[in-house]
Amino acid sequence: MKDLDSLGLRHQSGRLEILDQTRLPDEEVWIEVPHPEVMIECIKRLAVRGAPLIGAAAAITLARFAEDGASPVAFFEIAKRLREARPTAVNLMWAVDRVAFSGNDFTVKEVVAQAEEIFDEDVAECEWMAEKGAALIQDGDGVLTHCNSGGLATCGIGTALGVIKRAHQKGKAIHVYVDETRPLLQGARLTAWELTKAGIPMTLLCDNMAAHLMSLKKVQKIFVGADRVARNGDAANKIGTYGLAIAAKYHQIPFYVVAPTSTRDNSIETGLGIPIELRKESEVQLGPNRTSFPAWNPAFDVTPRSLITDLIMPKEC
Ligand code: MRU
């Protein structure tokens, strides 16, 4: 397989590595992935995360496994387990199906070609979304985002965060408000890290401060990513996105969902059909006031299409 390079994943001379996102922003530690078992574990514990990136990571892992001489039985068994590593981001199932279960004959060459195409297509679609979305941002806008949808979550510049980065690259004077994104703080740890690296002015806020910020007219636009978009346009994204959309509607703030084609699930009519990942209660119990009280930890929620001003998706246009 050819060399590949993104903010959170690299493949160089046959060596596959992912940047351990659980250690950011404190440490930049790359984990070698010599076997798919390591990738399955990394996806489950969010060392590699973000809907488009976990799809590409699974596909690349399968390609490397095939190149290393995996038997068809071992290959398909691992493909099935990679596919089930997380349930909400449809990009994961889409990518595994494309390289392993598409009905094509299993050849190493074909598996590698599909994995490389998945990576390259995501880079290209990120560019398309960045250009399309950046055109919506005005000089002086306050822009709010949730979770992390940047280079760490994709193979390219990002989806929602890619839009924001592109607006900055185009010289627009913007200020980004970053929801910390409880419970695992993808906003506070990852989006803040990416924005700081890019030199983009930002302010971090707790998730429960967003509506108040909107009432103060500090936010002109909201951009978020998605993990699965149903046929009717309902969009699942990191828990808290739905509440943000409700508050945005009340304050008449445009609310955009930015996602690649691989996030679309046409087999599901509405958001009601999207499986929501339930994670360990200990992730909610962690924090400055660590408790052992019972906790609920759905990792995603669904924003109805009626609350979304526009879907910025390459194949929508
Ligand atoms: O649980 P995570 O961190 O993988 O959740 C990721 C998100 O919710 C992102 O917003 C989404 O995948 C869009 S990424 C381009």
PDB file of all heavy atoms in Angstrom, residues 46 49-52 86 146-149 153-154 159 186 225-227 237-238 300, ligand 1:
ATOM      1  N   LEU A  46     -11.302   4.916  21.617  1.00  0.00           N
ATOM      2  CA  LEU A  46     -11.252   6.257  21.016  1.00  0.00           C
ATOM      3  C   LEU A  46      -9.840   6.819  20.892  1.00  0.00           C
ATOM      4  O   LEU A  46      -9.654   8.037  20.830  1.00  0.00           O
ATOM      5  CB  LEU A  46     -12.147   7.268  21.765  1.00  0.00           C
ATOM      6  CG  LEU A  46     -13.587   6.895  22.075  1.00  0.00           C
ATOM      7  CD1 LEU A  46     -14.394   8.134  22.437  1.00  0.00           C
ATOM      8  CD2 LEU A  46     -14.261   6.160  20.959  1.00  0.00           C
ATOM      9  N   ARG A  49     -10.546   8.072  16.353  1.00  0.00           N
ATOM     10  CA  ARG A  49     -11.974   8.359  16.463  1.00  0.00           C
ATOM     11  C   ARG A  49     -12.378   9.345  15.368  1.00  0.00           C
ATOM     12  O   ARG A  49     -11.524   9.832  14.632  1.00  0.00           O
ATOM     13  CB  ARG A  49     -12.298   8.928  17.854  1.00  0.00           C
ATOM     14  CG  ARG A  49     -11.344  10.060  18.225  1.00  0.00           C
ATOM     15  CD  ARG A  49     -11.934  11.081  19.108  1.00  0.00           C
ATOM     16  NE  ARG A  49     -13.014  11.797  18.480  1.00  0.00           N
ATOM     17  CZ  ARG A  49     -12.826  12.738  17.544  1.00  0.00           C
ATOM     18  NH1 ARG A  49     -11.630  13.064  17.113  1.00  0.00           N
ATOM     19  NH2 ARG A  49     -13.860  13.351  17.025  1.00  0.00           N
ATOM     20  N   GLY A  50     -13.672   9.680  15.354  1.00  0.00           N
ATOM     21  CA  GLY A  50     -14.196  10.542  14.298  1.00  0.00           C
ATOM     22  C   GLY A  50     -14.683   9.638  13.174  1.00  0.00           C
ATOM     23  O   GLY A  50     -13.956   8.739  12.733  1.00  0.00           O
ATOM     24  N   ALA A  51     -15.918   9.876  12.731  1.00  0.00           N
ATOM     25  CA  ALA A  51     -16.567   8.930  11.814  1.00  0.00           C
ATOM     26  C   ALA A  51     -15.755   8.616  10.548  1.00  0.00           C
ATOM     27  O   ALA A  51     -15.487   7.445  10.260  1.00  0.00           O
ATOM     28  CB  ALA A  51     -17.958   9.453  11.467  1.00  0.00           C
ATOM     29  N   PRO A  52     -15.333   9.628   9.774  1.00  0.00           N
ATOM     30  CA  PRO A  52     -14.606   9.273   8.542  1.00  0.00           C
ATOM     31  C   PRO A  52     -13.267   8.589   8.828  1.00  0.00           C
ATOM     32  O   PRO A  52     -12.872   7.675   8.104  1.00  0.00           O
ATOM     33  CB  PRO A  52     -14.383  10.631   7.853  1.00  0.00           C
ATOM     34  CG  PRO A  52     -15.427  11.526   8.446  1.00  0.00           C
ATOM     35  CD  PRO A  52     -15.583  11.076   9.863  1.00  0.00           C
ATOM     36  N   ARG A  86     -17.525  -0.030  16.666  1.00  0.00           N
ATOM     37  CA  ARG A  86     -18.407   1.034  17.169  1.00  0.00           C
ATOM     38  C   ARG A  86     -19.681   1.019  16.318  1.00  0.00           C
ATOM     39  O   ARG A  86     -19.603   0.797  15.107  1.00  0.00           O
ATOM     40  CB  ARG A  86     -17.731   2.414  17.106  1.00  0.00           C
ATOM     41  CG  ARG A  86     -16.564   2.543  18.086  1.00  0.00           C
ATOM     42  CD  ARG A  86     -16.076   3.968  18.190  1.00  0.00           C
ATOM     43  NE  ARG A  86     -16.975   4.809  18.965  1.00  0.00           N
ATOM     44  CZ  ARG A  86     -16.866   6.145  19.035  1.00  0.00           C
ATOM     45  NH1 ARG A  86     -15.933   6.764  18.348  1.00  0.00           N
ATOM     46  NH2 ARG A  86     -17.703   6.843  19.781  1.00  0.00           N
ATOM     47  N   HIS A 146     -18.973  21.780  18.049  1.00  0.00           N
ATOM     48  CA  HIS A 146     -19.136  20.783  19.108  1.00  0.00           C
ATOM     49  C   HIS A 146     -18.288  19.573  18.750  1.00  0.00           C
ATOM     50  O   HIS A 146     -18.155  19.228  17.576  1.00  0.00           O
ATOM     51  CB  HIS A 146     -20.621  20.397  19.187  1.00  0.00           C
ATOM     52  CG  HIS A 146     -21.009  19.570  20.369  1.00  0.00           C
ATOM     53  ND1 HIS A 146     -21.044  20.078  21.654  1.00  0.00           N
ATOM     54  CD2 HIS A 146     -21.382  18.274  20.472  1.00  0.00           C
ATOM     55  CE1 HIS A 146     -21.435  19.127  22.491  1.00  0.00           C
ATOM     56  NE2 HIS A 146     -21.634  18.013  21.793  1.00  0.00           N
ATOM     57  N   CYS A 147     -17.740  18.909  19.724  1.00  0.00           N
ATOM     58  CA  CYS A 147     -16.905  17.720  19.527  1.00  0.00           C
ATOM     59  C   CYS A 147     -15.677  18.071  18.676  1.00  0.00           C
ATOM     60  O   CYS A 147     -15.227  19.230  18.661  1.00  0.00           O
ATOM     61  CB  CYS A 147     -17.721  16.587  18.898  1.00  0.00           C
ATOM     62  SG  CYS A 147     -16.925  14.962  19.036  1.00  0.00           S
ATOM     63  N   ASN A 148     -15.141  17.101  17.958  1.00  0.00           N
ATOM     64  CA  ASN A 148     -14.009  17.363  17.069  1.00  0.00           C
ATOM     65  C   ASN A 148     -14.307  16.769  15.703  1.00  0.00           C
ATOM     66  O   ASN A 148     -14.549  15.569  15.572  1.00  0.00           O
ATOM     67  CB  ASN A 148     -12.700  16.764  17.597  1.00  0.00           C
ATOM     68  CG  ASN A 148     -11.598  16.873  16.547  1.00  0.00           C
ATOM     69  OD1 ASN A 148     -11.407  15.970  15.743  1.00  0.00           O
ATOM     70  ND2 ASN A 148     -10.903  17.993  16.524  1.00  0.00           N
ATOM     71  N   SER A 149     -14.274  17.630  14.703  1.00  0.00           N
ATOM     72  CA  SER A 149     -14.573  17.196  13.334  1.00  0.00           C
ATOM     73  C   SER A 149     -13.489  17.708  12.393  1.00  0.00           C
ATOM     74  O   SER A 149     -13.758  18.052  11.256  1.00  0.00           O
ATOM     75  CB  SER A 149     -15.946  17.738  12.923  1.00  0.00           C
ATOM     76  OG  SER A 149     -15.929  19.155  13.038  1.00  0.00           O
ATOM     77  N   ALA A 153     -10.265  13.821  12.893  1.00  0.00           N
ATOM     78  CA  ALA A 153     -11.448  12.971  12.723  1.00  0.00           C
ATOM     79  C   ALA A 153     -11.635  12.496  11.285  1.00  0.00           C
ATOM     80  O   ALA A 153     -12.574  11.758  11.001  1.00  0.00           O
ATOM     81  CB  ALA A 153     -12.695  13.747  13.173  1.00  0.00           C
ATOM     82  N   THR A 154     -10.768  12.952  10.395  1.00  0.00           N
ATOM     83  CA  THR A 154     -10.906  12.643   8.962  1.00  0.00           C
ATOM     84  C   THR A 154      -9.518  12.364   8.377  1.00  0.00           C
ATOM     85  O   THR A 154      -8.507  12.453   9.080  1.00  0.00           O
ATOM     86  CB  THR A 154     -11.504  13.852   8.204  1.00  0.00           C
ATOM     87  OG1 THR A 154     -10.563  14.942   8.285  1.00  0.00           O
ATOM     88  CG2 THR A 154     -12.833  14.304   8.792  1.00  0.00           C
ATOM     89  N   THR A 159     -14.352  18.120   8.546  1.00  0.00           N
ATOM     90  CA  THR A 159     -15.688  18.424   8.026  1.00  0.00           C
ATOM     91  C   THR A 159     -16.099  19.798   8.558  1.00  0.00           C
ATOM     92  O   THR A 159     -15.723  20.817   7.976  1.00  0.00           O
ATOM     93  CB  THR A 159     -16.691  17.312   8.410  1.00  0.00           C
ATOM     94  OG1 THR A 159     -16.781  17.213   9.835  1.00  0.00           O
ATOM     95  CG2 THR A 159     -16.277  15.974   7.824  1.00  0.00           C
ATOM     96  N   GLN A 186     -13.761  15.909  23.690  1.00  0.00           N
ATOM     97  CA  GLN A 186     -13.143  16.010  22.359  1.00  0.00           C
ATOM     98  C   GLN A 186     -12.977  17.473  21.944  1.00  0.00           C
ATOM     99  O   GLN A 186     -12.072  17.811  21.186  1.00  0.00           O
ATOM    100  CB  GLN A 186     -14.002  15.282  21.309  1.00  0.00           C
ATOM    101  CG  GLN A 186     -13.942  13.762  21.396  1.00  0.00           C
ATOM    102  CD  GLN A 186     -15.041  13.183  22.274  1.00  0.00           C
ATOM    103  OE1 GLN A 186     -15.526  13.856  23.193  1.00  0.00           O
ATOM    104  NE2 GLN A 186     -15.431  11.957  22.015  1.00  0.00           N
ATOM    105  N   GLY A 225     -20.227  18.229  12.812  1.00  0.00           N
ATOM    106  CA  GLY A 225     -20.091  17.070  11.926  1.00  0.00           C
ATOM    107  C   GLY A 225     -21.258  16.124  12.133  1.00  0.00           C
ATOM    108  O   GLY A 225     -22.279  16.477  12.738  1.00  0.00           O
ATOM    109  N   ALA A 226     -21.111  14.910  11.634  1.00  0.00           N
ATOM    110  CA  ALA A 226     -22.144  13.879  11.831  1.00  0.00           C
ATOM    111  C   ALA A 226     -21.517  12.498  11.734  1.00  0.00           C
ATOM    112  O   ALA A 226     -20.479  12.320  11.089  1.00  0.00           O
ATOM    113  CB  ALA A 226     -23.252  14.009  10.784  1.00  0.00           C
ATOM    114  N   ASP A 227     -22.159  11.553  12.406  1.00  0.00           N
ATOM    115  CA  ASP A 227     -21.712  10.152  12.355  1.00  0.00           C
ATOM    116  C   ASP A 227     -22.612   9.291  11.487  1.00  0.00           C
ATOM    117  O   ASP A 227     -22.228   8.214  11.057  1.00  0.00           O
ATOM    118  CB  ASP A 227     -21.640   9.567  13.771  1.00  0.00           C
ATOM    119  CG  ASP A 227     -20.409  10.077  14.475  1.00  0.00           C
ATOM    120  OD1 ASP A 227     -20.362  11.293  14.764  1.00  0.00           O
ATOM    121  OD2 ASP A 227     -19.477   9.283  14.688  1.00  0.00           O
ATOM    122  N   ASN A 237     -24.989  12.902  15.776  1.00  0.00           N
ATOM    123  CA  ASN A 237     -23.644  13.437  16.053  1.00  0.00           C
ATOM    124  C   ASN A 237     -23.421  13.358  17.556  1.00  0.00           C
ATOM    125  O   ASN A 237     -24.318  12.944  18.320  1.00  0.00           O
ATOM    126  CB  ASN A 237     -23.517  14.873  15.527  1.00  0.00           C
ATOM    127  CG  ASN A 237     -22.076  15.371  15.562  1.00  0.00           C
ATOM    128  OD1 ASN A 237     -21.164  14.678  15.106  1.00  0.00           O
ATOM    129  ND2 ASN A 237     -21.843  16.535  16.132  1.00  0.00           N
ATOM    130  N   LYS A 238     -22.245  13.756  17.986  1.00  0.00           N
ATOM    131  CA  LYS A 238     -21.868  13.662  19.398  1.00  0.00           C
ATOM    132  C   LYS A 238     -22.963  14.186  20.314  1.00  0.00           C
ATOM    133  O   LYS A 238     -23.591  15.208  20.039  1.00  0.00           O
ATOM    134  CB  LYS A 238     -20.565  14.442  19.595  1.00  0.00           C
ATOM    135  CG  LYS A 238     -20.009  14.482  21.001  1.00  0.00           C
ATOM    136  CD  LYS A 238     -19.820  13.126  21.620  1.00  0.00           C
ATOM    137  CE  LYS A 238     -18.920  12.215  20.820  1.00  0.00           C
ATOM    138  NZ  LYS A 238     -18.992  10.791  21.280  1.00  0.00           N
ATOM    139  N   PHE A 300     -24.075   9.601  21.416  1.00  0.00           N
ATOM    140  CA  PHE A 300     -24.582  10.415  20.303  1.00  0.00           C
ATOM    141  C   PHE A 300     -26.037  10.770  20.534  1.00  0.00           C
ATOM    142  O   PHE A 300     -26.715  10.131  21.351  1.00  0.00           O
ATOM    143  CB  PHE A 300     -24.459   9.634  18.975  1.00  0.00           C
ATOM    144  CG  PHE A 300     -23.026   9.264  18.659  1.00  0.00           C
ATOM    145  CD1 PHE A 300     -22.517   8.030  19.042  1.00  0.00           C
ATOM    146  CD2 PHE A 300     -22.187  10.161  18.030  1.00  0.00           C
ATOM    147  CE1 PHE A 300     -21.192   7.704  18.794  1.00  0.00           C
ATOM    148  CE2 PHE A 300     -20.855   9.842  17.774  1.00  0.00           C
ATOM    149  CZ  PHE A 300     -20.360   8.609  18.161  1.00  0.00           C
TER     150      PHE A 300
HETATM  151  O1  MRU B   1     -17.071   9.592  19.726  1.00  0.00           O
HETATM  152  P1  MRU B   1     -16.327  10.341  18.676  1.00  0.00           P
HETATM  153  O2  MRU B   1     -15.286  11.251  19.220  1.00  0.00           O
HETATM  154  O3  MRU B   1     -15.784   9.446  17.593  1.00  0.00           O
HETATM  155  O4  MRU B   1     -17.439  11.263  17.996  1.00  0.00           O
HETATM  156  C1  MRU B   1     -17.116  11.994  16.871  1.00  0.00           C
HETATM  157  C2  MRU B   1     -18.141  12.971  16.490  1.00  0.00           C
HETATM  158  O5  MRU B   1     -19.222  13.018  17.017  1.00  0.00           O
HETATM  159  C3  MRU B   1     -17.817  13.878  15.347  1.00  0.00           C
HETATM  160  O6  MRU B   1     -18.511  15.066  15.455  1.00  0.00           O
HETATM  161  C4  MRU B   1     -18.226  13.180  14.070  1.00  0.00           C
HETATM  162  O7  MRU B   1     -17.618  11.931  13.946  1.00  0.00           O
HETATM  163  C5  MRU B   1     -17.941  13.978  12.890  1.00  0.00           C
HETATM  164  S1  MRU B   1     -16.235  13.878  12.508  1.00  0.00           S
HETATM  165  C6  MRU B   1     -15.851  14.473  11.051  1.00  0.00           C
END
